[in-house]
Amino acid sequence: MRWTVALLLPLLAMPAALADADQDQDQDRARAAVEQGRALPLRTILDRAAARFPGQLLEAELEEEHGRLVYEIKLLMDGGRVVKLHYDARTGDLLAVKERGTEKDRRP
């Protein structure tokens, strides 16, 4: 029984370690994009989002969509609505606003 537990513990920890490694790679890629001028700093994008969409930040990701770097920002708004904002990472332009659970996907 002890051997089973000893063998399973490292296996249980592996998904968390892999997720941490992925997160570190994502942060490194985002930092490199900012340093190379391919993306604005996340703080700049968050400030722009807060000015138009006051809410609580749930998640922020830098993704590549159709060959373009895009910041995806998820906010919790009053009334429990979740709004997803897509910003062009290089220019800071708002590309799309999507409200979860509604049909109100709209372009800015």
Side-chain angles (χ1 to χ4, degrees):
M1 182 68 155
R2 286 186 198 167
W3 283 96
T4 303
V5 172
L7 291 173
L8 288 177
L9 285 177
L11 294 176
L12 293 174
M14 281 177 52
L18 292 175
D20 287 345
D22 285 346
Q23 188 175 16
D24 288 345
Q25 279 185 328
D26 289 346
Q27 290 173 351
D28 291 342
R29 281 195 305 249
R31 185 178 303 110
V34 170
E35 288 171 354
Q36 295 165 3
R38 297 184 303 121
L40 293 170
L42 177 59
R43 173 62 12 206
T44 301
I45 299 300
L46 292 176
D47 289 345
R48 289 182 187 191
R52 283 187 61 187
F53 303 92
Q56 180 181 349
L57 178 66
L58 296 176
E59 185 177 13
E61 296 178 325
L62 181 61
E63 303 176 339
E64 187 168 328
E65 295 180 3
H66 309 291
R68 166 188 351 195
L69 288 177
V70 174
Y71 279 109
E72 181 182 287
I73 310 297
K74 289 183 188 174
L75 300 172
L76 179 62
M77 308 299 282
D78 288 341
R81 294 178 305 126
V82 175
V83 174
K84 187 187 299 184
L85 309 171
H86 287 213
Y87 283 89
D88 182 294
R90 187 179 56 75
T91 66
D93 293 338
L94 181 60
L95 302 173
V97 178
K98 299 178 182 181
E99 288 188 42
R100 193 176 215 179
T102 69
E103 296 299 318
K104 293 186 178 180
D105 289 358
R106 62 182 192 263
R107 300 289 171 200

